């Protein structure tokens, strides 16, 4: 097995596997997509996207019953391109964050339990798990939420593993 600190190896491996699953999932959801679209909309998609579109066209964030966190990422992409391209970029961003989260989750397991074997088990277990990967193609918050939680836990574990004089 490659060394744990050879992060390029692990990230590229995760990218290949997750990208293959991404393409497979898109092929299974063909009726929902048009030409040049690499995402799938879900039940709540419009409640995240419509307020941003209204902000751009009408200068009003309406309807405002969703927090703008997910919409803020879309907003940045939307300022640079068309709606379809911005949504494509959002789906690709979800995929890339999901790829990185595989490596970070494996590092968390290694750092918590102090066993390199758990890095490999966690890495391959999460990489091959379809439970969270199915959300990478959807314009919904689930993919970002899982990746963000993994990154937050990684930072927390790194913080408490340091010999700090002051703890929370």
């Amino acid at each position: 097995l490659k060394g744990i600190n050879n992060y390029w190896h692990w990230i590229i491996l995760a990218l290949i596997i997750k990208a293959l699953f991404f393409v497979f999932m898109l092929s299974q959801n063909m009726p929902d997509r048009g030409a040049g679209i690499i995402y799938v909309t879900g039940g709540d998609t419009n409640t995240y996207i419509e307020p941003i579109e209204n902000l751009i066209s009408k200068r009003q964030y309406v309807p405002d019953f969703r927090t703008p966190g997910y919409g803020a990422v879309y907003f940045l992409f939307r300022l640079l391109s068309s709606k379809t391209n911005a949504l494509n970029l959002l789906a690709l961003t979800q995929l890339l964050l999901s790829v990185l989260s595989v490596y970070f989750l494996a590092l968390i397991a290694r750092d918590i339990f102090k066993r390199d074997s758990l890095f490999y088990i966690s890495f391959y277990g999460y990489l091959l798990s379809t439970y969270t990967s199915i959300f990478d193609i959807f314009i919904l918050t689930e993919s970002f939420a899982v990746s963000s939680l993994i990154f937050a836990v990684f930072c927390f574990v790194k913080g408490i593993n340091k010999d700090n004089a002051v703890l929370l």
Side-chain angles (χ1 to χ4, degrees), residues 18 70 93-105 108 126-127 129-136 140-154:
K18 286 236 180 221
Y70 187 69
T93 301
Q94 290 177 172
L95 174 63
L96 292 175
L97 290 175
S98 181
V99 165
L100 292 174
S101 73
V102 173
Y103 181 65
F104 279 76
L105 182 66
I108 291 168
Y126 184 50
L127 177 62
S129 169
T130 59
Y131 190 72
T132 57
S133 295
I134 59 174
F135 293 106
D136 293 342
L140 297 169
T141 58
E142 282 81 351
S143 180
F144 267 172
V146 170
S147 297
S148 298
L149 181 60
I150 290 170
F151 298 141
V153 171
F154 175 80

Side-chain angles (χ1 to χ4, degrees), residues 55-116:
L55 182 63
I56 292 169
S57 64
K58 301 174 186 170
R59 301 196 186 278
Q60 292 180 326
Y61 186 82
V62 289
D64 63 355
F65 55 87
R66 293 282 189 189
T67 55
Y70 187 69
V73 178
Y74 170 68
F75 180 70
L76 294 174
F77 293 138
R78 186 63 177 89
L79 289 176
L80 301 173
S81 62
S82 68
K83 180 178 180 179
T84 299
N85 288 338
L87 291 171
N88 283 339
L89 288 170
L90 189 58
L92 288 175
T93 301
Q94 290 177 172
L95 174 63
L96 292 175
L97 290 175
S98 181
V99 165
L100 292 174
S101 73
V102 173
Y103 181 65
F104 279 76
L105 182 66
L107 290 174
I108 291 168
R110 183 212 46 199
D111 289 349
I112 289 175
F113 298 106
K114 309 292 187 219
R115 292 181 49 205
D116 288 351

